[in-house]
Amino acid sequence: MDGVIRTRVGYTGGSRANPTYYSLGDNTESIQIEFDPTVISYDALLDKFWSNHDASRKSRVQYQSGIWYESEEQKKAIEKAVAYQSKLPRYNGRKIASHIAPLGDFYLAEDYHQKYLDRSMLKYPLY
């Protein structure tokens, strides 16, 4: 995506320090996105987030849908997006289940998780 400078896979949202894939504790697998706001807006990134999965689907903590925000401005944008998404026919009255919380510590995932799709023989059509 134009404006996305870098993505990194990691873990966040939990109480366990330095989690690993096999020892996550209550952390969630996540993606850290570094972007240039003069090229792509936070709202455009949120649109991509919503369009790539069913945000009403509940999942265990490791794989839960979630957005961790860094500022009150981001929090307000997320709240506005949730209100909008909730009214879309695709959710048919189902509640948005995505976890929304302030960003705490972000721990980088192991090297073999970074750029996984680029190295994988499997192809994922949504991404």
Side-chain angles (χ1 to χ4, degrees), residues 21-38:
Y21 182 75
Y22 295 104
S23 183
L24 279 176
D26 56 350
N27 285 283
T28 300
E29 291 185 27
S30 55
I31 301 168
Q32 182 184 61
I33 302 171
E34 185 179 334
F35 67 101
D36 180 345
T38 66

Side-chain angles (χ1 to χ4, degrees), residues 93-111:
R94 295 186 317 268
K95 184 179 182 208
I96 299 294
S98 296
H99 179 74
I100 312 295
L103 179 64
D105 292 327
F106 178 85
Y107 301 95
L108 282 177
E110 299 81 356
D111 285 343

Side-chain angles (χ1 to χ4, degrees), residues 45-109:
L45 292 172
L46 288 174
D47 288 345
K48 190 65 155 173
F49 170 81
W50 300 117
S51 70
N52 276 316
H53 75 295
D54 179 356
S56 69
R57 191 176 137 250
K58 292 187 179 186
S59 186
R60 62 185 201 211
V61 172
Q62 179 178 0
Y63 301 118
Q64 74 180 334
S65 167
I67 306 173
W68 289 266
Y69 56 88
E70 294 183 301
S71 68
E72 282 302 308
E73 182 179 332
Q74 287 182 352
K75 180 181 178 184
K76 289 177 185 174
I78 295 164
E79 290 169 345
K80 181 180 173 185
V82 167
Y84 174 77
Q85 291 292 322
S86 297
K87 296 175 185 172
L88 293 178
R90 73 182 273 197
Y91 291 111
N92 195 26
R94 295 186 317 268
K95 184 179 182 208
I96 299 294
S98 296
H99 179 74
I100 312 295
L103 179 64
D105 292 327
F106 178 85
Y107 301 95
L108 282 177

